[in-house]
């Protein structure tokens, strides 16, 4: 029987994993912090858990995949950009693996961390709506004290690790993430996991807080994820009368929410405008002329990604801009998590990713005697369409859960 690290240490690992994935501040975006986390988690794994590294075959695959991509594009791994990118990628994989293998009751701790951070965000969100300048002033003071921990982006962006103010999204709750959509992704993921590991079927304070936080993001994708979470909850009730009641409530609620102007019109207008080739080209060229990155919508990202994907569909174009992006896409900041994953890793890597993820989700569902695990996978795919968090350390940790013995 293995001895485990202290609970505080385990919560530190999970919290760090969440904040790195959420890009909560410049501190957690720093590769030095990620490397430190790898060293700590590796030390704890070798001290308390031991055993072989079960993802060694995955690491071997990524080695040959990387070699093939670099060979195809005649690029050296020793070039600074390539070395930083791919060493960072391997660091993410290893740190994610050692954390999921070291932390006991990982998913309960994950939900608790996101629940607490969400709870903190709600009063700050109300303050943001009422008197946002106060939060800006506080964050400016914190930034002056420790610029390594906090972020300031002119007059429009301010971050204090637990809460982000983005004037572009002043009516939306960014929480501890860099923008509201990413916050909605993490909230929805947490809600789906909590509905899986929760032993009873009562609606408790954790569900209430997560749902309220999701609503405050005003994120279309998060709302779709919320609907999928409700469907998952409904299917796992195992009570005919309650099933009928919830079905009667959920279907109209889904229709009402989807048909709200800020949801339906946003989807329709975004699709019509941003999938127009001429519009995409104009916006990209304008951004390039201004020396800025062009951040397209999810649908426009899908179009640009498709152009890259068809050039190298099997192995993908790799992670670095020297190989990942076509010449016309160098000034693009991609927003579609699914198509971006497909272009980078190709069909083989894409299928392997979701194969491992589905195995882990299935394992978790079986452990907690829950059915319809495929609905959780559908939820992750839905919210992954709009955010690049599929490549985050948190998602890689979840992906490797099936390697862990209960």
């Amino acid at each position: 029987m293995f001895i485990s690290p202290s609970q505080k240490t385990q919560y530190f690992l999970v919290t760090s994993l969440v904040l790195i994935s959420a890009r909560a501040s410049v501190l957690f975006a720093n590769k030095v912090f990620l490397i430190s986390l790898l060293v700590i988690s590796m030390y704890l794994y070798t001290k308390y858990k031991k055993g072989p590294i079960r993802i060694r075959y995955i690491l071997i695959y990524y080695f040959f995949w990387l070699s093939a991509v670099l060979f195809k594009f005649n690029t050296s791994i020793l070039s600074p950009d390539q070395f930083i990118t791919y060493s960072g990628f391997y660091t993410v994989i290893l740190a994610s693996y050692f954390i999921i293998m070291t932390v006991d009751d990982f998913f309960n701790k994950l939900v608790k961390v996101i629940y607490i951070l969400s709870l903190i965000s709600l009063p700050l969100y109300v303050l943001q709506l009422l008197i946002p300048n106060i939060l800006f002033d506080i964050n400016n003071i914190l930034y002056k004290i420790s610029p390594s921990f906090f972020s300031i982006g002119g007059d429009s962006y301010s971050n204090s690790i637990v809460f982000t103010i983005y004037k572009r999204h002043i009516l939306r709750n960014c929480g501890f993430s860099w923008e509201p959509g990413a916050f909605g992704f993490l909230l929805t993921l947490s809600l789906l996991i909590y509905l899986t590991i929760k032993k009873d079927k009562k609606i408790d304070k954790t569900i209430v807080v997560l749902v309220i936080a999701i609503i405050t993001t005003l994120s279309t994708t998060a709302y779709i994820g919320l609907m999928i979470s409700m469907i998952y909850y409904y299917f796992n009730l195992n009570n005919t009368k309650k099933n009928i009641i919830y079905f009667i409530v959920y279907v109209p609620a889904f229709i009402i929410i989807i048909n709200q102007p800020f949801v339906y019109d946003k989807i329709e207008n975004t699709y019509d405008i941003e999938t127009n080739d001429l519009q995409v080209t104009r916006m990209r060229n304008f951004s390039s002329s201004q020396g800025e990155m062009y951040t397209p919508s999810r649908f426009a990202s899908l179009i640009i990604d498709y152009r890259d994907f068809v050039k190298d569909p099997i192995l993908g174009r790799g992670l670095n801009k020297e190989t990942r992006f076509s010449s016309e896409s160098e000034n693009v900041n991609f927003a579609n998590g699914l198509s971006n994953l497909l272009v980078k890793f190709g069909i083989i890597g894409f299928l392997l990713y979701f194969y491992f993820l589905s195995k882990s989700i299935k394992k978790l569902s079986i452990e907690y005697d829950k059915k319809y695990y495929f609905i959780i996978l559908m939820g992750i795919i839905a919210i992954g369409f709009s955010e690049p968090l599929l490549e985050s350390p948190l998602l890689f940790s979840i992906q490797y859960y099936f390697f862990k013995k209960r």
Side-chain angles (χ1 to χ4, degrees), residues 100-116:
I100 191 71
M101 298 299 286
T102 301
V103 175
D104 298 326
D105 207 10
F106 174 84
F107 291 102
N108 269 301
K109 289 182 173 63
L110 172 63
V111 171
K112 188 171 182 179
V113 166
I114 294 179
Y115 163 76
I116 292 172

Side-chain angles (χ1 to χ4, degrees), residues 41-168:
S41 59
M42 185 184 296
Y43 166 76
L44 293 172
Y45 176 77
T46 54
K47 180 178 180 180
Y48 293 103
K49 303 298 181 180
K50 302 180 181 179
I53 299 177
R54 300 180 186 277
I55 59 167
R56 56 188 179 277
Y57 295 115
I58 297 176
L59 295 174
I60 292 171
Y61 166 76
Y62 280 130
F63 171 79
F64 284 108
W65 165 76
L66 168 60
S67 301
V69 169
L70 294 178
F71 177 78
K72 176 178 175 59
F73 291 96
N74 193 28
T75 307
S76 172
I77 187 64
L78 297 178
S79 68
D81 286 346
Q82 294 289 352
F83 182 78
I84 292 172
T85 298
Y86 286 100
S87 60
F89 174 65
Y90 270 94
T91 302
V92 166
I93 290 176
L94 288 170
S96 302
Y97 172 77
F98 287 125
I99 289 173
I100 191 71
M101 298 299 286
T102 301
V103 175
D104 298 326
D105 207 10
F106 174 84
F107 291 102
N108 269 301
K109 289 182 173 63
L110 172 63
V111 171
K112 188 171 182 179
V113 166
I114 294 179
Y115 163 76
I116 292 172
L117 291 172
S118 303
L119 195 59
I120 294 171
S121 80
L122 293 178
L124 294 175
Y125 170 66
V126 174
L127 195 60
Q128 170 185 287
L129 295 177
L130 298 176
I131 36 179
N133 287 335
I134 286 184
L135 292 176
F136 267 97
D137 292 341
I138 293 173
N139 284 354
N140 278 324
I141 293 171
L142 293 173
Y143 176 76
K144 290 176 182 177
I145 295 172
S146 181
S148 299
F149 281 76
F150 307 104
S151 308
I152 298 294
D155 296 326
S156 63
Y157 185 89
S158 180
N159 170 273
S160 58
I161 299 179
V162 295
F163 193 74
T164 297
I165 307 174
Y166 196 0
K167 282 192 175 179
R168 181 182 173 187

Side-chain angles (χ1 to χ4, degrees), residues 1 6 28 102 117 147 149 185 187 201 214 242 252 278 306 310 379 405:
M1 183 176 181
S6 70
F28 297 102
T102 301
L117 291 172
F149 281 76
F185 179 106
L187 290 168
K201 298 179 177 64
I214 288 172
K242 286 187 177 181
L278 180 60
Y306 175 75
V310 294
K405 294 180 180 179

